[in-house]
Amino acid sequence: MGFLSVLSFAHKLTAERLSPGGRAIDATLGTGADTLFLARAAGPRGGVYGFDIQPQALALAGERLRLAREEAPAALAPVTLLQQSHAAMAEAVPPTWRGTVSAVMFNLGYLPAGDADKTIITEPPSTLAALESALALLRPGGIITAVLYPGHEGGGSEAAAVEAWAAGLAQHDAQTIVYRQLQRESAPYVVAVEKRQRG
């Protein structure tokens, strides 16, 4: 049977919290796989924002969404793709989104397209700022998933920073988990943060 891959695990956690009509954010577009997943889960009455600093990522995500809309025009949420750092998400999404977002997905590291510049990577200062913004945007019960890649240069320090950030959150604000293969130190893993219900 085997365990779920880290990406499948992140999708499973997100799917349990993002209902049709919900709002979601893809903090790192990459090739658009998470963007499309969120757009399907939120459905036509929902909404999705996606962020990436690389034009190539926006093009790849946009093409993936275009092909999916051709197959099922009415199945996806409206998606807004922005060529901006994920650290700017709090200012970039509408003010009405604050406290209403069901899911924010991070897939950190570099753009996994074959011809992409692998030296352009996500970095701790902007990632931690984005995580803080994401937590503020979440509704109670909403989730952040971050897929971390300690195996590439710079990935280990970013993974450690994200894990430390999640571990330092007050328990009355959020609960956090790690999903990780323990025998391979460089294997990708997931940190997930669920915003606590108040009251």
Side-chain angles (χ1 to χ4, degrees):
M1 179 72 184
F3 293 116
L4 290 173
S5 72
V6 290
L7 296 174
S8 295
F9 185 72
H11 283 192
K12 180 181 187 299
L13 292 177
T14 301
E16 291 168 356
R17 292 157 179 85
L18 177 57
S19 306
R23 292 169 169 170
I25 296 170
D26 185 351
T28 49
L29 287 170
T31 63
D34 290 340
T35 326
L36 178 56
F37 165 76
L38 292 170
R40 283 189 171 132
R45 293 183 297 107
V48 176
Y49 271 77
F51 294 86
D52 211 292
I53 60 168
Q54 295 185 73
Q56 187 179 1
L58 271 75
L60 290 166
E63 179 64 7
R64 191 184 287 257
L65 291 165
R66 185 187 67 77
L67 292 171
R69 286 190 198 286
E70 283 181 3
E71 287 178 24
L76 304 183
V79 179
T80 303
L81 303 180
L82 298 174
Q83 188 183 335
Q84 286 181 262
S85 168
H86 51 203
M89 75 169 74
E91 297 78 42
V93 301
T96 53
W97 277 45
R98 189 175 183 86
T100 69
V101 173
S102 294
V104 184
M105 299 190 79
F106 290 76
N107 197 337
L108 298 169
Y110 52 76
L111 178 59
D115 60 343
D117 182 350
K118 304 290 192 293
T119 65
I120 301 173
I121 61 171
T122 52
E123 296 182 353
S126 58
T127 295
L128 294 176
L131 287 164
E132 286 287 347
S133 293
L135 191 58
L137 289 167
L138 283 186
R139 64 169 176 78
I143 194 163
I144 297 167
T145 60
V147 180
L148 306 166
Y149 296 88
H152 71 83
E153 191 171 341
S157 57
E158 181 174 52
V162 171
E163 206 173 316
W165 172 82
L169 292 172
Q171 288 188 42
H172 60 266
D173 291 330
Q175 57 180 344
T176 63
I177 62 165
V178 175
Y179 180 74
R180 182 172 203 166
Q181 186 178 338
L182 294 175
Q183 298 101 322
R184 283 180 55 224
E185 201 171 301
S186 64
Y189 66 103
V190 178
V191 168
V193 178
E194 183 181 58
K195 192 167 186 175
R196 287 268 193 205
Q197 306 273 358
R198 289 290 189 168

